[in-house]
Amino acid sequence: MSKFAANLTMLFTELPFIERFAAARAAGFEAVECLFPYEWPAAELARQLRENGLTQALFNMPPGDWAAGERGMAAIPGREAEFRAQLPKVRDYALALGCTKVHAMSGLIDPAHSLAAHRQTLVENIRFAADFLAADGIKVLLEPLNSRDVPGYFLAHQRDALALVEEIDRPNVGVQLDLYHAQIMDGDLTRLIAKLGPAIGHVQIASVPDRHEPDRGEIHYPHLFEALARAGYQGWIGCEYHPSAGTREGLGWLRQWQSTSR
């Protein structure tokens, strides 16, 4: 049975962020995720989860200066201390929210350094983060982002993420498989899912090419849900898309897929 988590950064944006928890629950979601929770006190977010009977499936580590265009720092040489200094805050939020998965954004390639230096920085930083968070049962995920939406991002392909996870060699490190990004960069999604197998730590969905509701566009998600089940994935499926005409108005897919997966 597929289990869906509403991405509160992208869905229900007609409401203030704190009010989106109740809206997600009323719409039929049992879990939520978001990009960055740090603007709000962890205790208030935890209260929203508790009062609405929701699970926090995922959030991202701090990305650097998002408004200035930064998209993480895990792979950026020279920023190791900054990356590692954020880990206590990440742990505190994860524990307060009962969240066991965090996404470490790799960052945009710095032309002052070689790709090999970026890779080594990422491997060392993720090993450090994984070891820091392991005792609390928190998993660190790497997500490839497509080069159309995020040009210059260090990690763009799923098989590269898998190779990194294998090199990092920590039991609490996995791949965050966003099938929207994967279709744009890799395709052949059924075989890709089988290849990633137990390395899949979290899944996200949206339509391609427009990143709207997942029941439109060129991906047939019910088929991929079956492929994920065969690969052994039983976790949440994050709904990270831009509604085409209002969140509630476009949720027919959720009711249909929830009823057919029971």
Side-chain angles (χ1 to χ4, degrees):
M1 175 181 174
S2 300
K3 306 183 300 181
F4 300 102
N7 187 296
L8 297 186
T9 304
M10 293 189 178
L11 302 185
F12 305 103
T13 56
E14 66 277 11
L15 299 171
F17 185 80
I18 290 297
E19 296 179 20
R20 297 175 198 174
F21 292 83
R25 186 58 174 159
F29 289 101
E30 297 180 356
V32 296
E33 61 179 36
C34 65
L35 294 187
F36 312 109
Y38 312 106
E39 183 178 342
W40 299 272
E44 172 60 17
L45 301 182
R47 184 174 72 84
Q48 291 297 325
L49 293 169
R50 184 172 60 253
E51 291 183 355
N52 290 289
L54 291 165
T55 296
Q56 183 77 35
L58 176 81
F59 62 84
N60 291 355
M61 292 187 182
D65 191 341
W66 185 267
E70 291 188 343
R71 294 298 181 264
M73 67 198 81
I76 310 304
R79 299 186 69 176
E80 293 88 348
E82 183 181 357
F83 174 81
R84 298 177 186 197
Q86 69 188 353
L87 291 172
K89 178 167 72 172
V90 170
R91 179 183 59 193
D92 289 347
Y93 268 80
L95 292 176
L97 304 184
C99 183
T100 60
K101 297 177 183 178
V102 296
H103 167 212
M105 299 191 74
S106 300
L108 305 179
I109 294 169
D110 183 347
H113 301 277
S114 69
L115 292 179
H118 284 79
R119 181 186 181 91
Q120 187 59 34
T121 300
L122 181 63
V123 168
E124 293 175 358
N125 274 337
I126 299 304
R127 283 177 177 162
F128 186 94
D131 292 344
F132 183 89
L133 297 170
D136 294 300
I138 301 168
K139 191 166 189 173
V140 181
L141 304 179
L142 298 176
E143 179 188 13
L145 304 182
N146 79 76
S147 56
R148 183 178 72 198
D149 291 348
V150 193
Y153 196 72
F154 174 72
L155 186 58
H157 293 280
Q158 300 294 325
R159 287 177 175 82
D160 291 342
L162 177 61
L164 281 162
V165 168
E166 291 172 346
E167 181 177 350
I168 291 164
D169 192 26
R170 294 294 189 274
N172 61 325
V173 175
V175 176
Q176 185 168 319
L177 173 59
D178 187 320
L179 289 160
Y180 164 78
H181 294 296
Q183 169 69 354
I184 293 170
M185 297 304 296
D186 300 298
D188 201 12
L189 296 178
T190 303
R191 289 182 173 84
L192 181 63
I193 288 168
K195 174 67 175 177
L196 296 175
I200 300 172
H202 186 65
V203 173
Q204 292 172 320
I205 61 175
S207 71
V208 178
D210 296 320
R211 206 170 193 178
H212 290 324
E213 286 81 358
D215 61 342
R216 59 189 67 191
E218 65 194 45
I219 301 178
H220 181 56
Y221 278 110
H223 170 78
L224 295 183
F225 298 153
E226 295 176 0
L228 287 164
R230 289 195 298 272
Y233 183 74
Q234 298 179 341
W236 296 103
I237 295 174
C239 303
E240 190 182 49
Y241 65 86
H242 300 290
S244 56
T247 302
R248 295 180 182 87
E249 293 82 352
L251 285 177
W253 66 267
L254 178 64
R255 292 182 287 274
Q256 178 185 351
W257 291 353
Q258 283 179 329
S259 64
T260 57
S261 65
R262 287 192 172 93

